[in-house]
Amino acid sequence: MDQAVTVTVEDGVAVLTIQNPPVNALNAAVRTALVDAIDEANADPRTIAIVIIGDGRTFSAGADIDEFGKPFVSPWLPEVCNRVEASAKPVVAALHGTTLGGGFELALAAHYRIADPRARVGLPEVTLGILPGAGGTQRTPRLAGAAIALDMMLSGRPISADEAASAGLIDEISDGDVRAHAIAFAASLTEHARRPTGERRDGFADSIEYEQVIAAARQEFGRSPLIAQGKIIDCVEAALLLPFEGGLGFEESAFLDCLETDQSAALRHVFFAERRTAKIPELEGATPRPVELVGLVGREPMVVNLAALLLDAGLGVVLLESGATALADATGRVERVYDHLVSGGNVTAHDAAERLSRLTGVLQYDALSSVDMVIEATPEDMDIKKSVFGYLDGVLKPGAVLVTTTSCLDVNDLTQHISRPQDVLGLHFNGPGASAKLVEVVVGTTTAPDVVATGFALAKRLGKAPVRSGIADGLIGGAVMAASRHAADLLVEEGATPYQIDAAMRAWGFALGPYQALDAAGLDNELARRARMAHLWDPTAKVVQITDKLCELGRFGRKSGAGYYDYATQNSPGTENDEVMAVVALERQAKGIVPREVSQAEIQDRLLAAMANEGAGLLDRGIAHRPSDIDVAMIHGHGFPRARGGPMLSADLAGLLTVRNRLRDYAMDDVFWTPAPLFDELIKNGQGFDALNTV
Ligand code: CAA
């Protein structure tokens, strides 16, 4: 077996190289090897100092996240850090790449830190629902003070080597080879050069200011739903108030508290879920086709947003319009996107001009003959899309990828009348804006694996979160949201108000309640979706027509100034409305429903059960590849709170049996709630959805 840490002695310096590709995570083997190597170097009379460095692309990305939630294996990382700090011979950490979390904490325990100028360091544990638990909350403020320590730990954002050096977290920045620099530096040290961080008080110079920073952070993060943030503030305060050993003990207990929370389980799940989405059979061994020039055909605002997204990612764009006026309008809109960015200081005028120089407007399909890919974003009408694909088939070069953005039409139907069905792929960008990260990569029965790989590669290049989806109306995200909306409608009929439902889901962590989201998407679009799906609807299932009635009143959502809420202007927050409640009352009356009290907990339980049940159905039907893909789609496309891990993980955390039993209870009254068969299959085997999150 390869050694987790190799040791060489150079110029009297023991060089300990961590070797755990790809990111030198500090797993049990590395930790054991580090402690052994520190002990051996201390015992070796040939060495006067020690350098710790990482092999490959980075010093270390921190603790091995995969080990959390499993029994601890000794030595713990905090012990390793303490051993490094206690080393009788001075220890220098040589940093390159991204030194994160426990990796940076290990470096902070060394007596000196030398960094490559491109290195970045950070304490991103908060993004995993935990805190820097290997001494980071105690050592960082000792060196850099409370403000910088808190900023790094509460945001999780890495900082540059320069910033870290100005903050006192890095001692020297190398101007050449960081390894050679660190060895030369270490070789110049004497035994008396030991400088344990735990004994330093540089960051405590002004204790009044330190406490003020703590108080301000408590004010700012006091209402944060992230448990770890409050605990980080407590730990940084403890660093000032307690002796170093006491502070480490305080940190340890806070770390263990965080580790046991559902939030941490959820955030760690999302970390791996996001990286798992690209592990699908089609991508095994497939090489993406090169894409540098992309054609766009379709309607605004989609094509305008797509054009800006592609230009920002360094691609060339050929925008096709049917007439000169429409073309001038569309290219003018793209220009205005950049005017806006320049005036807001987000892009320099020079960069904006460079990006716009890669945009070409054309009026004929022939002009698309050299593009590597065409994305069509025409209205959701199969005849229009077929005719566009027919034209494209006639002019595109061999191997060009044909992308449709549809979320509701069958990609397979689109391929039937063209000569290159293997080149067709769906890429559904969630929402017209560039802000939502989700891109559902829709794979048809004839789509070639390298075309799927091309879709994933493009989405990544655009900074998006690609998720594979089979063909289903609304794809994964739309289908799950539709189920939760229907569950909400049923509750409104039974006695809840739409506003109560929205408040309950916001309280649970959603960015928007389902009716706020529906107002943004358009109530008429929801009716169109229901009409498309009507043939699949169980005739015995309940139907709620409140949205239909609101549309009859001209309340189509935000775009018409009124939907479930009233909107004074396009951007104003909605206000509750009596007309909506009158419609609700009439619907209840017509069905003879006597409204009942509906609690916040029931709203949350029902909507989440509906989402997990729909997700299970998508898995049963092979639309979603694995449960964690559904979670990623919901988090990046539909405002599902990241710290809750997505609907499938939430069901696991609530207990699959509990959720299945809830569904069964609800189903006594309405077939909509019938649990998907997957629930019983998993429960029978003592498993949760997570058991299906394999690669
Ligand atoms: N533990 C285990 N696996 C890790 C890991 C970690 N800390 N960091 C990355 N990996 C794995 C990823 O899962 C991925 O595995 P697969 O190839 O099997 O999917 C692989 O390493 C490469 O990672 P990325 O795909 O993310 O590579 P990248 O180049 O895009 O990004 C990175 C590299 C910036 C280091 C990024 O991986 C990252 O942010 N990692 C997490 C860093 C982090 O949060 N560290 C804190 C850990 S918790 C801790 O240290 C607690 C403590 O105080 C004791």
Side-chain angles (χ1 to χ4, degrees), residues 56-413:
R57 67 199 219 207
T58 195
F59 178 78
S60 168
D64 185 342
I65 301 166
D66 209 23
E67 285 183 353
F68 293 139
K70 299 177 182 160
F72 278 114
V73 180
S74 184
W76 284 29
L77 193 54
E79 279 174 65
V80 179
C81 292
N82 294 344
R83 292 282 275 275
V84 166
E85 190 168 74
S87 165
K89 295 182 180 174
V91 184
V92 179
L95 312 182
H96 74 290
T98 36
T99 296
L100 299 177
F104 189 46
E105 292 173 88
L106 175 67
L108 289 172
H111 305 133
Y112 298 91
R113 285 151 294 281
I114 312 283
D116 178 271
R118 289 153 302 180
R120 295 181 71 74
V121 299
L123 295 165
E125 284 90 339
V126 71
T127 64
L128 300 167
I130 52 178
L131 51 81
T137 66
Q138 304 303 299
R139 292 192 177 95
T140 318
R142 276 190 154 68
L143 296 178
I148 287 168
L150 281 176
D151 188 43
M152 288 178 77
M153 290 188 244
L154 293 172
S155 74
R157 270 191 308 273
I159 58 175
S160 67
D162 275 340
E163 286 172 277
S166 334
L169 294 167
I170 280 175
D171 299 294
E172 284 189 15
I173 295 185
S174 86
D175 49 7
D177 176 357
V178 69
R179 186 178 189 279
H181 186 132
I183 294 171
F185 181 89
S188 71
L189 294 173
T190 62
E191 229 175 79
H192 305 292
R194 275 184 78 253
R195 205 181 40 159
T197 311
E199 289 172 15
R200 289 177 60 181
R201 301 186 59 83
D202 316 36
F204 300 158
D206 185 341
S207 57
I208 293 174
E209 189 197 342
Y210 193 103
E211 280 290 15
Q212 282 167 347
V213 171
I214 299 285
R218 285 223 168 88
Q219 186 80 16
E220 190 181 344
F221 291 90
R223 297 170 74 89
S224 160
L226 270 185
I227 296 162
Q229 286 182 322
K231 296 216 176 264
I232 286 170
I233 300 170
D234 294 345
C235 287
V236 173
E237 184 177 46
L240 176 75
L241 301 181
L242 299 180
F244 184 58
E245 292 301 322
L248 288 179
F250 190 91
E251 177 194 89
E252 181 183 318
S253 101
F255 176 79
L256 292 175
D257 285 350
C258 288
L259 196 58
E260 279 166 18
T261 59
D262 281 356
Q263 274 185 356
S264 171
L267 289 166
R268 284 181 275 126
H269 162 80
V270 177
F271 176 85
F272 288 115
E274 287 172 335
R275 285 158 179 81
R276 209 180 282 127
T277 56
K279 291 171 184 161
I280 53 170
E282 287 92 349
L283 297 194
E284 261 171 47
T287 309
R289 297 183 188 176
V291 175
E292 288 305 326
L293 190 60
V294 179
L296 287 177
V297 183
R299 70 201 148 140
E300 293 179 36
M302 190 71 185
V303 284
V304 171
N305 289 318
L306 280 173
L309 204 57
L310 293 159
L311 294 170
D312 288 347
L315 292 143
V317 173
V318 184
L319 182 57
L320 175 76
E321 279 291 352
S322 51
T325 314
L327 183 59
D329 187 49
T331 50
R333 275 173 191 256
V334 181
E335 281 160 16
R336 281 201 292 285
V337 168
Y338 285 104
D339 288 347
H340 196 66
L341 288 172
V342 171
S343 60
N346 299 309
V347 170
T348 64
H350 175 271
D351 283 353
E354 188 281 320
R355 289 178 207 185
L356 282 167
S357 71
R358 285 185 266 112
L359 174 69
T360 315
V362 298
L363 292 168
Q364 303 291 335
Y365 274 92
D366 290 354
L368 296 175
S369 61
S370 59
V371 301
D372 306 307
M373 171 188 276
V374 173
I375 305 178
E376 76 74 24
T378 56
E380 297 286 23
D381 178 320
M382 186 52 97
D383 291 337
I384 296 178
K385 290 192 191 286
K386 277 189 176 162
S387 114
V388 168
F389 266 45
Y391 285 120
L392 293 172
D393 194 20
V395 300
L396 293 187
K397 67 183 183 188
V401 177
L402 285 87
V403 171
T404 173
T405 54
T406 186
S407 65
C408 61
L409 301 175
D410 190 333
V411 173
N412 288 333
D413 285 354

Side-chain angles (χ1 to χ4, degrees), residues 595-638:
R596 65 177 176 88
E597 280 290 319
V598 180
S599 71
Q600 174 163 299
E602 182 182 354
I603 294 170
Q604 295 167 344
D605 287 348
R606 283 202 184 235
L607 267 63
L608 289 161
M611 288 187 223
N613 199 26
E614 182 64 26
L618 292 170
L619 290 164
D620 275 330
R621 283 155 45 217
I623 307 295
H625 188 65
R626 55 171 81 84
S628 64
D629 286 3
I630 300 173
D631 289 337
V632 174
M634 290 302 294
I635 289 166
H636 287 302
H638 298 278

